[in-house]
Amino acid sequence: MWAILSILVENKPGILFKVTHLFRARNFNIDSISVGVTENPDYSKMTITTYGDEKQVDQIVKQLDKMIDTVKVEHLDEHKTVFRELSIFKIKLSNANDSMEVNKLANAYGGKVHDVKKDSLMVELTATPDQIKAFEELAKPFGIIDVARTGVAALQRSGAE
Amino acid sequence: MNNMENMIGAKALMTAMEKEGVKEVFGLPGGANLPMYDEFARCNIRHILARHEQSAAHMADGFGRVSRKPGVCFATSGPGATNILTGIATAQADSAPMVAVTGQVPVAMIGKDAFQESDIIGMANPVVKYAFQPRHASEIPEVVKKGFFIAQTGRPGPVLIDIPKDVQQNEAEMVFPDEFKIPGYHPWADPDLVAVEKAIDMLLHSQKPVILAGGGTIISSAFAELQAVAEALMLPVVTTFKGKGAFPENHPLSLGPIGMHGHAEANRIMSEADCVLAIGTRFSDRSVGTFEEFEKNLKIIHMDVDPAEIGKNQTAQLAVVGDVQMNLRVMVKLLLQKAIKKTEETPWIKHVKETKAYWQENLKLHPGEMGAAKILRKLRELLPKESIITTEVGQHQMWASLFYDVIQPGTFFSSTGLGTMGWGFPAAIGAKVAKPDVPVVDIAGDGSFAMTENSLATAVLEDIPVIVFVLNNFTLGMVAQWQRTFYDRRMIGVDQGKCPDYVKLAQSYGAQGIRAQSMDELDKAIKDALSSDVATVIDIPIDPEEDVLPFVAPGTSLKDMILPS
């Protein structure tokens, strides 16, 4: 299963290394990771997505929780959580129609278009990983020159705790 | 807050350690920790000079396991720090309380590949419970307070404090706090009354219940509680190797350690059990064999202070999280309240006793006068029951598991997790410092002893009279056994020759060296060593072909023991 983990950590140097090392050392895999300071500058929040069966995810949560720098670790329910990832695609434009087609596609996914050039443009998309993947599939025929993704950021919906 | 005072970082370190009750530390000086070493001249802490940083850490480890307070070791930066890592990793693998203090290059030089710089925090993080690197002298008092707290609470472990040289030298206004906050650290959980009640119920409703006591039982000193539960429910007790001696091994309900080189009767009974109360164990592969086979047809009640151990290697039907002594106390109390005390021998206990008697009578032993079983039983016979045993790693370690019965719980220590050759002798020195009034014996093999034999200098010069009991088969015995068993006798890299002569080696350090080639000589050697006031090495030549048996081969289950033919 795909799991979203929300990890509140002390905002100290080296924490990211410790968390990512834990995944490596315990033979777990990181699907995506995002980190940012919270409203309290003493803490940062990491969102890590990973794959594993129920037992593996439970073990990942326990091992993360055991770390002294982690304040709170939650396995978020995908259906009770708002989760988004920012992605930027640089897409090739081969002919005059491509620009219009890509713009339509971007609009369909709520994306924004940047840096329009004669032979390329960029689409900024904030969406779920599934939506980003779907956009990527549709953009592939135009030619994807480059892509950058941030990893998922997630918050549990109010009342879902 | 209290005790505000101006002082340099190095002095603050010593003051803070004195406040933690530190009286002895083990270590080696070097350029990057000299400001700290200079403070040993002005404080009440005894510095014990090791001859290698790895040994310094093992000494601290042995001290910590015996005293149950963090043992402290010191090393300089760079190679001193990297040398100490093996000792730190050993302590981590066996949950031993330790504080390691390393020197570091000055803050401004960090990251510049300075002379004797190593990123010891980066290297150590995977093998420590926590690592600190204070960047300002004023941080030191709180770092020390937190470090000692983390090292000895919950599941104990090693803490590293890496202090840049200028941080040691700089003066600051020091505040030695009584309180501090670590928001993510919750080492204690209240005893789980409901789970304990369920555990009793599960044990009472099982036909073939067993207690499996692990190292956590020893760490939390849950000896009396374990015995009370075993006797009230009339449960046979097996242990892991790390849990050896959690339960008196001369008790009628004791079967000894299970595992790769466990007792035949313990492995048999564990294989037949339908319910196990597993206390303070991580279900090491060396203890349980293949994970899938072990948990087949077995209900597991897992009691552990570390929630992350629940379900890691074995699926537990019931988890009891928290300090095992506290939870066992609750169990004893509930058993008393419910007036549960089995007095009649069940068919299961009858079978357990018959199995034990069968294997104790029928296990074939080496026929020679100086076979491992006879040697270790002689040691047991002559040592007072409160003696502390450490072991090295190898065949001698497993013979000790099989043939040296621990009578007084909590007196047997070994490197069971990392399996560090060379651990036992320096650990024995640390143990003797922690408990100077009892005999301390390192059961060694020639291969392991060779790795840290230079600790003889420490034992002699620092007046720490431990006994090293070398079962000398002039080979890396366990590797040789595997080569004989699994590699068609292709003996590569195991021959230790007859060099060195351990009697002469001991004497060259100013220690006592005795060779024992017969049981009479051994008897005399042990008595001489016990009455000696200097460290003694007893060199006991044995048959290089003697195997450790029974043996559960890697990747097989406990019921598939290879037995002596």
Side-chain angles (χ1 to χ4, degrees):
Chain A
M1 69 174 168
W2 184 70
I4 309 169
L5 307 178
S6 175
I7 309 156
L8 189 67
V9 297
E10 289 198 60
N11 186 10
K12 289 181 185 168
I15 307 296
L16 181 61
F17 162 74
K18 288 188 197 179
V19 169
T20 53
H21 177 82
L22 172 78
F23 274 75
R24 193 205 65 75
R26 294 283 176 190
N27 202 22
F28 306 138
N29 192 32
I30 291 175
D31 176 48
S32 82
I33 184 166
S34 67
V35 192
V37 71
T38 66
E39 78 289 354
N40 179 345
D42 290 340
Y43 299 117
S44 292
K45 182 166 277 185
M46 292 186 191
T47 308
I48 292 181
T49 62
T50 184
Y51 288 94
D53 60 27
E54 198 176 330
K55 193 177 167 184
Q56 284 168 327
V57 173
D58 181 56
Q59 184 57 212
I60 294 172
V61 170
K62 283 176 177 168
Q63 292 292 346
L64 286 167
D65 205 29
K66 183 171 153 179
M67 288 180 62
I68 288 167
D69 294 315
T70 56
V71 178
K72 193 176 181 187
V73 183
E74 290 175 288
H75 176 194
L76 301 179
D77 182 338
E78 195 181 325
H79 304 292
K80 296 174 182 172
T81 299
V82 176
F83 56 97
R84 295 288 184 274
E85 181 177 351
L86 171 69
S87 59
I88 303 172
F89 289 85
K90 186 187 279 184
I91 297 169
K92 192 175 172 187
L93 302 176
S94 303
N95 57 56
N97 285 340
D98 278 359
S99 176
M100 195 171 64
E101 292 297 320
V102 172
N103 259 294
K104 268 198 228 168
L105 186 60
N107 284 337
Y109 280 85
K112 289 180 189 168
V113 172
H114 301 280
D115 196 40
V116 181
K117 299 275 163 50
K118 190 181 168 195
D119 54 358
S120 73
L121 59 70
M122 285 195 198
V123 177
E124 173 200 324
L125 191 60
T126 302
T128 66
D130 280 352
Q131 288 167 331
I132 291 172
K133 196 174 174 196
F135 176 85
E136 186 179 12
E137 289 301 314
L138 293 170
K140 261 183 194 168
F142 297 98
I144 296 172
I145 299 167
D146 207 350
V147 63
R149 294 173 70 162
T150 58
V152 170
L155 274 185
Q156 198 156 267
R157 295 177 196 277
S158 295
E161 293 86 3
Chain B
M1 299 286 188
N2 56 11
N3 299 337
M4 284 165 78
E5 200 181 334
N6 269 328
M7 63 179 78
I8 62 166
K11 182 171 168 52
L13 174 76
M14 298 304 164
T15 307
M17 289 205 304
E18 283 178 332
K19 286 175 186 290
E20 295 299 323
V22 175
K23 293 190 169 52
E24 300 93 359
V25 302
F26 309 87
L28 267 89
N33 67 3
L34 276 180
M36 295 188 273
Y37 266 72
D38 197 45
E39 289 301 323
F40 282 123
R42 289 182 285 276
C43 71
N44 294 314
I45 296 172
R46 175 188 178 194
H47 176 263
I48 295 169
L49 176 63
R51 297 305 170 102
H52 191 283
E53 289 85 356
Q54 179 185 343
S55 296
H58 293 333
M59 288 173 195
D61 184 343
F63 179 96
R65 293 194 205 197
V66 168
S67 68
R68 301 198 176 86
K69 293 175 186 163
V72 182
C73 50
F74 274 69
T76 191
S77 64
T82 54
N83 278 347
I84 215 168
L85 270 180
T86 299
I88 291 174
T90 306
Q92 173 78 344
D94 280 343
S95 308
M98 176 192 285
V99 172
V101 182
T102 49
Q104 182 56 278
V105 300
V107 170
M109 298 302 288
I110 291 175
K112 305 288 195 292
D113 299 325
F115 176 67
Q116 292 196 328
E117 181 192 358
S118 65
D119 174 20
I120 198 62
I121 294 288
M123 288 184 230
N125 253 318
V127 292
V128 293
K129 191 168 173 189
Y130 202 73
F132 294 94
Q133 190 182 64
R135 294 295 183 102
H136 190 276
S138 64
E139 296 172 37
I140 287 176
E142 185 167 318
V143 160
V144 173
K145 188 95 185 156
K146 284 181 177 173
F148 276 76
F149 178 73
I150 290 170
Q152 64 192 312
T153 48
R155 182 177 182 171
V159 167
L160 172 68
I161 303 176
D162 185 48
I163 312 180
K165 190 167 183 180
D166 53 340
V167 175
Q168 299 169 42
Q169 292 165 317
N170 289 345
E171 191 170 301
E173 188 173 75
M174 299 294 176
V175 177
F176 293 88
D178 293 325
E179 292 178 356
F180 53 85
K181 274 173 68 179
I182 308 176
Y185 185 52
H186 309 289
W188 293 292
D190 290 335
D192 191 338
L193 186 68
V194 175
V196 170
E197 207 155 11
K198 278 187 193 162
I200 294 172
D201 201 45
M202 279 174 71
L203 290 165
L204 285 173
H205 287 87
S206 303
Q207 301 302 308
K208 299 172 182 175
V210 166
I211 291 178
L212 168 61
T217 325
I218 295 173
I219 290 170
S220 73
S221 303
F223 310 123
E225 294 80 3
L226 169 63
Q227 191 165 334
V229 169
E231 288 173 353
L233 292 170
M234 214 181 277
L235 299 172
V237 179
V238 301
T239 70
T240 63
F241 180 52
K242 184 156 189 276
K244 180 177 170 66
F247 190 71
E249 291 187 289
N250 60 348
H251 192 287
L253 290 168
S254 169
L255 294 167
I258 57 166
M260 181 175 275
H261 293 293
H263 294 199
E265 56 269 35
N267 282 343
R268 279 277 185 267
I269 292 302
M270 188 68 247
S271 304
E272 294 173 21
D274 62 357
C275 181
V276 62
L277 171 60
I279 305 167
T281 176
R282 62 192 167 88
F283 295 104
S284 150
D285 52 302
R286 285 284 162 124
S287 291
V288 304
T290 52
F291 295 144
E292 298 76 15
E293 191 65 29
F294 183 81
E295 65 186 26
K296 202 188 275 179
N297 306 319
L298 183 66
K299 285 182 181 146
I300 296 176
I301 304 161
H302 194 173
M303 189 180 275
D304 206 290
V305 73
D306 181 356
E309 285 302 337
I310 310 294
K312 188 183 84 180
N313 291 350
Q314 301 289 174
T315 308
Q317 275 69 41
L318 178 66
V320 188
V321 176
D323 178 73
V324 298
Q325 187 186 46
M326 301 304 290
N327 277 302
L328 285 175
R329 262 185 205 166
V330 170
M331 189 174 269
V332 173
K333 199 173 164 190
L334 285 173
L335 291 170
L336 282 170
Q337 277 173 4
K338 293 169 189 266
I340 298 172
K341 174 134 184 83
K342 289 192 175 179
T343 50
E344 275 188 40
E345 197 167 274
T346 60
W348 171 237
I349 281 296
K350 189 167 176 291
H351 172 67
V352 167
K353 287 183 176 172
E354 285 169 358
T355 304
K356 182 176 175 180
Y358 173 82
W359 285 108
Q360 293 199 338
E361 282 165 26
N362 291 292
L363 191 68
K364 287 200 175 104
L365 300 174
H366 190 277
E369 183 191 5
M370 299 304 278
K374 296 183 187 102
I375 292 169
L376 288 161
R377 284 172 180 159
K378 171 61 73 178
L379 182 67
R380 172 68 287 174
E381 177 195 327
L382 296 179
L383 283 189
K385 69 177 190 327
E386 68 274 17
S387 304
I388 290 168
I389 295 291
T390 63
T391 84
E392 303 290 347
V393 171
Q395 281 187 307
H396 61 278
Q397 181 190 31
M398 296 305 145
W399 282 320
S401 165
L402 287 165
F403 306 121
Y404 182 91
D405 286 344
V406 179
I407 310 301
Q408 182 161 307
T411 56
F412 183 92
F413 302 95
S414 190
S415 170
T416 60
L418 200 66
T420 308
M421 291 173 71
W423 179 84
F425 178 35
I429 291 172
K432 184 74 177 173
V433 170
K435 268 201 178 171
D437 298 332
V438 301
V440 177
V441 179
D442 170 38
I443 296 175
D446 49 302
S448 278
F449 183 50
M451 291 199 173
T452 52
E453 67 191 16
N454 60 5
S455 292
L456 277 167
T458 304
V460 171
L461 297 173
E462 299 280 353
D463 195 19
I464 306 165
V466 298
I467 301 167
V468 186
F469 198 75
V470 185
L471 281 82
N472 189 349
N473 52 13
F474 309 101
T475 182
L476 297 177
M478 190 58 88
V479 182
Q481 179 173 337
W482 282 44
Q483 289 180 341
R484 282 195 293 274
T485 310
F486 303 122
Y487 296 89
D488 201 21
R489 289 193 69 86
R490 288 185 293 280
M491 314 304 286
I492 312 294
V494 290
D495 185 5
Q496 300 269 295
K498 293 196 186 308
C499 181
D501 178 329
Y502 285 115
V503 172
K504 289 181 183 164
L505 180 92
Q507 289 165 350
S508 77
Y509 277 104
Q512 181 175 215
I514 309 172
R515 181 157 295 116
Q517 299 185 89
S518 67
M519 272 299 148
D520 287 344
E521 287 178 3
L522 184 63
D523 192 288
K524 184 173 181 312
I526 295 169
K527 286 173 183 165
D528 284 352
L530 284 171
S531 60
S532 174
D533 56 2
V534 295
T536 301
V537 176
I538 306 175
D539 182 55
I540 311 157
I542 59 167
D543 177 4
E545 294 273 327
E546 183 173 358
D547 283 338
V548 183
L549 292 170
F551 177 30
V552 176
T556 63
S557 75
L558 295 184
K559 62 177 185 292
D560 302 318
M561 281 184 290
I562 301 170
L563 294 163
S565 56

